[in-house]
Amino acid sequence: MSTPGRPEEDHGLRLAPFRGLRYVPERVSSLAAVTSPPYDVVVRPDGLHHLESADPYNIVRLILPQAATPATRNRQAADTLHHWLSEGVLAPDPEPALYVYEQRSGDLLQRGLIGALALTQPAEGIVLPHEDVMPHVVADRAALMRATAANLEPLLLTYRSRGDATGATAVIERAVLRSPLLATTTEDGFSHRLWSVTDPAELAEATADLSHRQALIADGHHRWATYLRLKAEHPDRGPWDSGLVLLVDTARYPLQVRAIHRLLLRLPVADALAAVADTFRVREVPGPLPHALDALAEAATTGNAFLLAGDGTFRLVDRPDEALLSRTVPAGRPEAWRTLDATVLHATLLDHVWSIPDAPEDIAYIHGAEAAVTQAERHGGTAVLMHPVREEVVRDLARQGVTMPRKSTSFGPKPATGLVLRSLDLN
């Protein structure tokens, strides 16, 4: 694998304006009621049912259509999108724009630019992935995107400037002084605002700044892989050559990095603990969950540590046997990769100790610790709670061209799905 370097001037990020599809406020109960978290954050079935009942036009009916077969689901999503457009529930903006997007909750403020980003391969060193992907998820997202001919939700990408208010940041900070296209507050307490940037001079200013930037995929590896697959299927230059993204300058607006937890659906906690008893230290730690997560954070400062739950108690599993790690963790990778909790979890625990197949019927990936514990207790399985990786570790590995095990990190806050969509028939 070649090591991605920094892009040269004018060979960096190319973010183009597009005609966004947006909900017509008069046709829905509220903008908040039609939004959704990204498709892979929706906890099914409870969260899915909650969103479907919030409003008949909730975007979850497009990103997670419900039907008996994959082909039927995708046809249903395409038909739903067509109906919403013909009924005037969704409508395209009159001219192409970059969109300034703001999320705010208390002291947390995130702002970035939404646009159609030219697709590049990792070896080009312009957009860097940091996680592996699951082929079946890419295939599923590609089938949905083909059927709808739309980018239904933006990926979250980050870049780092010098932190001053120039270039794209200046464009953003001028835009937020104007009246927004939309403003809403979702039930998680986040306020969301959106502005359009159509002035040619401002578009040129943002474009010039981004043209020598390098971005890290913070959230959306499977959708980025989907974009690349569909681009290869459409070799003639056109709308499939770019994909919908939100670009955030983390020097100006730092993101939070959280862990993604594992739910082992067919492994009871007692069996999981019995299998690790001889090669890891196992301790029961007191609840409630926030206290147990504090114990996990403390243990993680000195080495690999995991919190197991699902039977009403919390067990801290840490201090793995060094000989076991030597036998099970692949060599030939940087030490920072070999010592990741996600690496040890997958290479040592899942593959070797527990022999858990990497299949959706055996492992679910859940962003919320409480949801993971609840689902484990409901299914009689094991929740493996993780401690987050530092952003600088993620970025350093990505720049070396080294990908982490899939679902290793969760950057946020994530953009709400449903505020602006991109139709490939319009762009």
Side-chain angles (χ1 to χ4, degrees), residues 183-196:
T184 190
T185 301
T186 46
E187 64 181 7
D188 59 5
F190 272 90
S191 66
H192 307 261
R193 297 197 293 171
L194 193 76
W195 296 261
S196 65

Side-chain angles (χ1 to χ4, degrees), residues 116-150:
L117 185 68
L119 303 177
T120 56
Q121 295 293 334
E124 296 178 64
I126 297 171
V127 175
L128 304 180
H130 70 268
E131 289 183 356
D132 294 330
V133 297
M134 293 174 274
H136 74 276
V137 177
V138 176
D140 174 73
R141 291 292 102 184
L144 177 64
M145 216 173 286
R146 283 190 210 100
T148 59

Side-chain angles (χ1 to χ4, degrees), residues 263-336:
L263 170 60
L264 310 182
L265 293 159
R266 300 180 180 181
L267 181 67
V269 175
D271 294 347
L273 293 170
V276 300
D278 294 333
T279 50
F280 285 76
R281 181 175 69 167
V282 180
R283 293 175 289 153
E284 184 171 344
V285 295
L289 178 58
H291 292 169
L293 289 172
D294 287 343
L296 172 62
E298 182 178 354
T301 62
T302 58
N304 301 118
F306 311 93
L307 189 66
L308 272 56
D311 63 353
T313 64
F314 299 103
R315 268 45 172 242
L316 188 63
V317 175
D318 64 354
R319 297 188 183 179
D321 177 71
E322 290 296 332
L324 174 66
L325 295 181
S326 297
R327 291 197 312 273
T328 56
V329 175
R333 297 285 188 96
E335 183 67 11

